Structures are given as structure tokens and as C-alpha cells.
Amino acid sequence: MTELFDGYHDNYRDVVQSSIDFSGLPHHFFMRAKADLLGNLIAQRLDTERPDMLDVGCGVGSLHPLLHGMVGRLSGIDVSSASLAQARADNGRVDYREFDGRTFPFDDASFDLVTAVCVMHHLVPTEWAQFIAEMRRVTRPGGLVCVIEHNPYNPLTRLAVARCEFDRDAVLLGAGTTRKLMAAGGLREIGARHFLLLPWDTKPSRRLEATLSGVPLGGQYAAFGTA
């Protein structure tokens, strides 16, 4: 995986955009939806207003400019040193570190919120349980673990994945599978929300989408649990 993403560090956004061009929507629309969802989870599930956050598999840090003012200390880790170099150039205030793909380079209970955005489908399924265990390990008691993934039951999502060069070996996992992994890993108060169902960035469409978050139709989902 390191070699794969090192090769896309300077054109990552362009490759992603080419895979979703059929939607008529910019990459930023999808990143904004993720940031908004994380903001809602912070408000509803955490006691601290600006949590310390770790973004696992952060890539070139595309999400991080949208988190300013939402989180406190922000850290990102990735197996791709080239991607991290780009992330550092774009986001000077974020603590970026390399990791070996298995053990996160932080002590136990270091963060209030630990996320992995479209990362797990790049892992071999036999590694999923260990990955969730690491996310839980570095999360403080009462903190939140959040996995955002592609919804394999959405046909447009499957089309986007099929069109994406670095998703050629992806193994998609549904929200039910992710929730079971979280439960087996000792997380509690586990939930899931589907999003990116409606292709409009307006307040009415966002409100409508929120009411439909329990229906497994959105292009992506967030599964989350308390440590």
C-alpha cells in the first residue's frame, strides 16, 4: 500500500475527481460532507467542544483544512511518506507522522476522537480487527472511534470505486460488518449513519438526508463507537 499511494501523492485529488466526474460534483463536496458529519458527532457524542483528533490513513490531508475550529490538536498518520510530505506542505499546523501499517505511533488513550476515512477497504480483511483494536487503544475512555467507508450497496459508489485507480484491490465492507468489528473490539454505544444520498449542497437537502441517515442508501456511511 505504501508504494501504491506514494505514486499518487502529487495528483491524488485529480485521480479521485476523475473517478467521480460522472456525478457532476467536485471532490470538495464530498469532503465537506464528511467534515459536517464529524462536527455533528462531536457535538452529540463528545463532552469536549474541541477534541484532540487523530486521522488514521490521512493521505495528503485533504480533509484537514475543513476541520479548523472544530477540533483542538490534530494529528494524521499514513504509511505513505510522499503523501505526508504533501500534507505537511499544505497544513503546517497538523502533526503528521509515518506508521508501519499496524501499530499507531502514539501512546494509549492519546485522543478524544480517532477517525479512519475510506481506509479500511484498502486493508486485507484479516487485518480489520487489529486495525479497530489500534483505533480503540489510542482513544481516551469516553472518546469516539469513527470509521467512514464506502457503502457497498450503493451502485454509484461501486461505479466510483471501479473507476478509481488506487481502489482496484478494494474490499468494501458494509456498515453492519464495521459495527460488528467495533463490538468485538470492545467499543460500546455503537451506531451508524449513511450519508451522501442527495447530490445537493443546500440546507433543505442536508436536513432531508439527515432524516434518512438510518436507511442504507447513502454513498458512504460512518460507523462509530465509544471507547
Side-chain angles (χ1 to χ4, degrees):
M1 196 191 316
T2 302
E3 292 80 7
L4 174 64
F5 283 96
D6 275 349
Y8 289 103
H9 73 279
D10 58 349
N11 66 340
Y12 173 85
R13 296 176 183 86
D14 293 337
V15 172
V16 173
Q17 184 61 56
S18 68
S19 72
I20 57 175
D21 273 344
F22 68 88
S23 71
L25 296 168
H27 181 225
H28 182 80
F29 171 85
F30 297 90
M31 301 308 292
R32 179 77 264 170
K34 293 176 178 64
D36 289 346
L37 184 145
L38 288 172
N40 289 336
L41 287 177
I42 289 170
Q44 296 172 10
R45 297 289 298 257
L46 292 175
D47 293 333
T48 177
E49 291 185 1
R50 297 185 64 189
D52 293 336
M53 175 179 163
L54 172 64
D55 184 12
V56 181
C58 64
V60 296
S62 299
L63 179 65
H64 298 165
L66 302 176
L67 301 177
H68 290 321
M70 186 185 301
V71 301
R73 177 170 59 98
L74 178 58
S75 300
I77 60 175
D78 203 278
V79 297
S80 169
S81 57
S83 295
L84 290 177
Q86 183 64 56
R88 291 187 185 102
D90 293 341
N91 305 291
R93 296 183 180 181
V94 182
D95 173 23
Y96 291 110
R97 304 185 190 184
E98 287 187 52
F99 85 114
D100 59 9
R102 184 170 179 84
T103 304
F104 302 168
F106 293 99
D107 294 334
D108 296 358
S110 294
F111 299 93
D112 303 302
L113 173 62
V114 178
T115 63
V117 180
C118 296
V119 174
M120 288 188 65
H121 67 260
H122 291 294
L123 304 177
V124 178
T126 54
E127 298 175 351
W128 288 344
Q130 165 64 19
F131 188 82
I132 293 292
E134 271 297 281
M135 293 184 75
R136 183 178 185 273
R137 179 185 68 79
V138 298
T139 304
R140 294 168 182 150
L144 195 66
V145 171
C146 178
V147 170
I148 295 177
E149 269 297 337
H150 298 311
N151 177 14
Y153 303 110
N154 184 296
L156 294 180
T157 293
R158 283 197 167 274
L159 175 60
V161 170
R163 288 166 54 96
C164 188
E165 296 175 22
F166 48 72
D167 278 344
R168 56 181 176 266
D169 295 324
V171 180
L172 301 186
L173 63 166
T177 298
T178 306
R179 292 176 68 175
K180 289 178 181 177
L181 288 165
M182 289 181 164
L187 295 170
R188 53 193 175 84
E189 299 175 359
I190 297 168
R193 297 180 188 175
H194 288 77
F195 67 110
L196 291 174
L197 174 62
L198 303 174
W200 304 295
D201 192 12
T202 64
K203 288 183 179 180
S205 63
R206 296 279 71 82
R207 285 196 296 267
L208 177 58
E209 187 170 276
T211 66
L212 299 172
S213 64
V215 181
L217 298 178
Q220 294 185 336
Y221 69 86
F224 42 87
T226 300

